[in-house]
Amino acid sequence: MHTNIVTCTAPVNIAVIKYWGKKDEKLHIPLNSSLSASLDQKDLKTTTSVVAGTDFTEDELWLNGKKENVESKRIQNVLRLIREGSTVEWKDDPNYKLRIVSTNNFPTAAGLASSASGYCCLVYALAQLYGCRSDLSAIARLGSGSACRSMYGGWVAWEMGRDHESSVAVQVADEKHWPEVQILVCVVSDVQKHTSSSDGMQQSVRTSKLLADRAENIVPKRMEEMKQAILTRDFHTFADLTMKDSDSFHACCADTQPPIYYMNNVSHHIVSLVQSYNKKVGSNKVAYTYDAGPNAVLYIADEKHMVEMLKLLHIYFNPSEGVQRERPFFDNEYLLAKMSTLDEQSLVDGLQVEKRPDALKYILHTKPGPGPQISQDHLISL
Ligand code: DP6
């Protein structure tokens, strides 16, 4: 005997005010509040199917075709809270074992934190299966801190709170609020292994005075200014705060003992390109932000500036002809056609940026999108 199969999808999110550091390691209560956009699931999403049955011999978790350990603390904490909030009769029946199958539609090599969409999707799917009525963002937070923000679409704040109940995500504005904004994920050619977020933030909490100052004196005001900039659709201020916050997070990493460097030369190069472009056009039309790796995520004000920025990325990081690639450098036909109408010389005039062919692997184009969804495309067949 088994339950119905439940399948859900959930978005990746990219923070514009970063979460870095926990006050409570067990409950994942952060040092400061943070804010992100959930990305369109057409481009980037996790899909998870779950089913419980008396004919399975053990709980099983499959991620991208690989069997993973269900006994991990994070998974077990999530399961415990889902069961606590559950309304189904079989919730504590040991004869019911779980089968969980999850995949991402984006390459793992893209270096995007798949744990956020992954844990969010897992919690959302399990909550449907178990009829769980608790705040799902708080449960997803126990999987991975940033996962709580994927529980909603559009622009989402994670209010740090004081305890499990108050450390939750809230939607600031939905995905339709600011339709002009678009996003580029620039995947840097890089094979280096980086310190994981959880290890990195632990080291920073222990050793960086700058991080304590950031959490206490910088982020609270910045959160309010960021919400205001989003609600009033003030891109110049939004971009200013986004870039400052990314810089502040990476400064805290550099202030950690031993120092942690997530950005590399190519990342810094993209920062210069964005800075000189904004200067040339007279206000911030592009904002960069970097997580725990070298890839740049660019928030862009509108289509005109998106097309110009794409063209510049092609000019400065132009892929060499004849090089074998795992996927096309950039494959949005509509935007490629728009780019081809731009004059290269007038675009680069006045920009002081050096060319770095092949420094980028590929570019993904997306925009803010909705929160988790229920789907009928099951990954499990019984
Ligand atoms: C740099 O949410 O992956 O992406 O809570 O330990 O699972 P854990 O960490 P995680 O950290 C994300 C850090 C970040 C910034 C952000 O997304 O806010």
Side-chain angles (χ1 to χ4, degrees):
M1 200 167 58
H2 56 79
T3 64
N4 286 335
I5 303 171
V6 176
T7 300
C8 297
T9 66
V12 168
N13 73 70
I14 299 290
V16 291
I17 304 278
K18 304 294 186 194
Y19 148 51
W20 197 250
K22 298 179 184 83
K23 231 186 292 198
D24 183 322
E25 279 290 331
K26 244 172 58 209
L27 289 178
H28 295 181
I29 309 293
L31 274 193
N32 59 263
S33 298
S34 55
L35 201 150
S36 59
S38 291
L39 307 188
D40 196 339
Q41 295 181 46
K42 274 198 222 80
D43 307 304
L44 302 150
K45 71 172 174 212
T46 295
T47 305
T48 303
S49 292
V50 291
V51 62
T54 50
D55 41 353
F56 305 139
T57 49
E58 52 171 13
D59 289 346
E60 271 182 26
L61 167 64
W62 294 82
L63 291 186
N64 292 317
K66 228 177 106 216
K67 199 169 169 188
E68 300 283 341
N69 175 18
V70 263
E71 296 307 323
S72 87
K73 237 192 339 216
R74 290 176 183 233
I75 300 277
Q76 287 303 318
N77 282 339
V78 162
L79 278 170
R80 181 172 49 79
L81 285 180
I82 291 277
R83 288 188 179 119
E84 273 175 27
S86 169
T87 49
V88 295
E89 268 168 40
W90 52 269
K91 62 175 178 165
D92 294 319
D93 183 340
N95 295 317
Y96 277 84
K97 304 288 184 205
L98 283 170
R99 180 146 311 163
I100 305 167
V101 179
S102 187
T103 58
N104 298 323
N105 73 342
F106 51 93
T108 320
L112 292 157
S114 60
S115 63
S117 53
Y119 276 109
C120 171
C121 202
L122 174 70
V123 168
Y124 197 79
L126 286 173
Q128 317 300 317
L129 186 76
Y130 279 91
C132 173
R133 304 236 175 87
S134 319
D135 186 307
L136 300 187
S137 78
I139 304 182
R141 190 196 75 239
L142 292 182
S144 182
S146 56
C148 71
R149 297 186 310 237
S150 283
M151 214 34 99
Y152 299 97
W155 305 90
V156 185
W158 170 13
E159 303 294 355
M160 60 186 219
R162 264 163 285 104
D163 49 23
H164 175 68
E165 282 73 30
S166 58
S167 191
V168 293
V170 249
Q171 190 178 53
V172 174
D174 72 13
E175 64 278 11
K176 295 190 199 80
H177 167 72
W178 204 354
E180 295 79 16
V181 172
Q182 305 189 15
I183 295 153
L184 288 181
V185 181
C186 305
V187 179
V188 169
S189 310
D190 180 87
V191 284
Q192 211 185 313
K193 179 130 179 44
H194 298 275
T195 314
S196 77
S197 304
S198 1
D199 290 351
M201 62 178 87
Q202 264 187 41
Q203 292 167 26
S204 297
V205 170
R206 260 203 319 272
T207 61
S208 170
K209 289 219 166 63
L210 200 56
L211 180 67
D213 180 58
R214 162 184 161 75
E216 209 167 308
N217 302 317
I218 311 280
V219 177
K221 182 159 172 269
R222 196 173 277 163
M223 273 296 285
E224 290 319 305
E225 291 170 342
M226 182 59 96
K227 285 181 193 167
Q228 223 26 54
I230 291 168
L231 290 172
T232 57
R233 302 185 190 88
D234 171 359
F235 193 86
H236 181 77
T237 307
F238 165 84
D240 185 51
L241 298 169
T242 298
M243 294 187 281
K244 279 188 177 138
D245 202 70
S246 175
D247 295 345
S248 149
F249 153 48
H250 289 280
C252 291
C253 292
D255 186 51
T256 299
Q257 283 304 313
I260 306 170
Y261 302 111
Y262 288 120
M263 292 169 69
N264 65 15
N265 278 342
V266 183
S267 322
H268 292 295
H269 216 72
I270 297 172
V271 169
S272 307
L273 174 61
V274 170
Q275 299 278 15
S276 46
Y277 176 78
N278 284 339
K279 195 162 163 215
K280 180 174 163 180
V281 296
S283 72
N284 298 328
K285 297 294 183 191
V286 182
Y288 58 76
T289 187
Y290 295 82
D291 283 336
N295 296 339
V297 176
L298 305 182
Y299 281 82
I300 304 188
D302 51 38
E303 187 178 285
K304 171 180 155 45
H305 296 97
M306 166 59 72
V307 175
E308 291 191 357
M309 198 61 206
L310 269 170
K311 178 96 178 177
L312 285 168
L313 289 168
H314 276 76
I315 295 170
Y316 287 106
F317 302 102
N318 193 20
S320 314
E321 307 259 328
V323 171
Q324 278 281 344
R325 346 194 112 255
E326 59 191 273
R327 55 184 294 143
F329 186 70
F330 183 68
D331 62 2
N332 183 313
E333 297 297 332
Y334 170 80
L335 290 167
L336 282 168
K338 292 249 160 188
M339 278 161 58
S340 67
T341 65
L342 294 181
D343 176 53
E344 184 167 331
Q345 196 49 51
S346 54
L347 209 53
V348 300
D349 270 350
L351 298 182
Q352 310 275 312
V353 185
E354 201 190 307
K355 290 193 177 171
R356 295 282 295 260
D358 293 321
L360 286 187
K361 246 203 276 194
Y362 52 86
I363 305 174
L364 304 172
H365 170 261
T366 187
K367 54 185 189 304
Q373 313 277 318
I374 295 178
S375 154
Q376 296 309 321
D377 295 332
H378 303 309
L379 303 175
I380 299 174
S381 56
L382 292 172

